[in-house]
Amino acid sequence: MGIIKLKNIRTFSYHGCLIEEGKIGSDYAVDLQIKADLKKSCDSDNLEDTVDYVLLNKIIVEEMAIRSQLLEHVAKRIITRVFQEVPTITHIKVGVSKLNPPIGGDVEAVTIELEETKS
């Protein structure tokens, strides 16, 4: 078993409950951690034998482009799609952060994290 992490994937997206958030957008950062059997790729040195992190990044960028009111909804979509497209992944942890959220204070980010294991 091995772990692959994608850290601080930056997007400009339009999530939020406020109408203005859907119009003006905001900066976001996504962290993804997956677990999969990496033994074969350790031995073979072939991309076909591992989890392609270019694909993982593509999934995140595409899902972040779909507007949602809640960050939890975006994170769940990312998890669902990663499990669908990469069947060798057994566990996912994703964090979605809204940078400089409009909450009436000096807050760097609000982050939600979801974690799921394939049953």
Side-chain angles (χ1 to χ4, degrees):
M1 197 59 57
I3 295 174
I4 295 175
K5 297 178 184 180
L6 281 74
K7 297 181 181 181
N8 202 25
I9 300 166
R10 305 286 292 239
T11 70
F12 190 85
S13 303
Y14 297 87
H15 308 300
C17 295
L18 302 175
I19 293 171
E20 295 81 16
E21 292 174 299
K23 292 180 181 178
I24 63 173
S26 186
D27 291 309
Y28 292 82
V30 178
D31 294 314
L32 180 72
Q33 178 177 303
I34 63 97
K35 291 183 182 177
D37 185 353
L38 302 178
K39 183 172 179 4
K40 187 174 182 182
S41 61
C42 289
D43 295 335
S44 72
D45 196 28
N46 288 321
L47 179 59
E48 300 82 34
D49 296 331
T50 193
V51 176
D52 184 354
Y53 50 79
V54 173
L55 173 61
L56 296 176
N57 183 69
K58 178 179 178 277
I59 290 169
I60 289 167
V61 169
E62 289 175 358
E63 291 302 322
M64 289 297 291
I66 301 168
R67 177 162 163 64
S68 289
Q69 291 189 55
L70 301 177
L71 299 181
E72 295 90 324
H73 189 255
V74 180
K76 177 61 178 167
R77 282 200 327 262
I78 290 169
I79 288 171
T80 299
R81 188 156 165 216
V82 169
F83 275 143
Q84 287 174 347
E85 294 193 28
V86 191
T88 58
I89 292 175
T90 59
H91 184 85
I92 300 172
K93 180 178 180 181
V94 63
V96 179
S97 300
K98 179 181 275 192
L99 308 179
N100 302 309
I103 60 174
D106 186 12
V107 178
E108 181 180 342
V110 171
T111 303
I112 66 94
E113 288 185 349
L114 293 181
E115 194 167 354
E116 282 192 31
T117 301
K118 188 184 285 183
S119 52

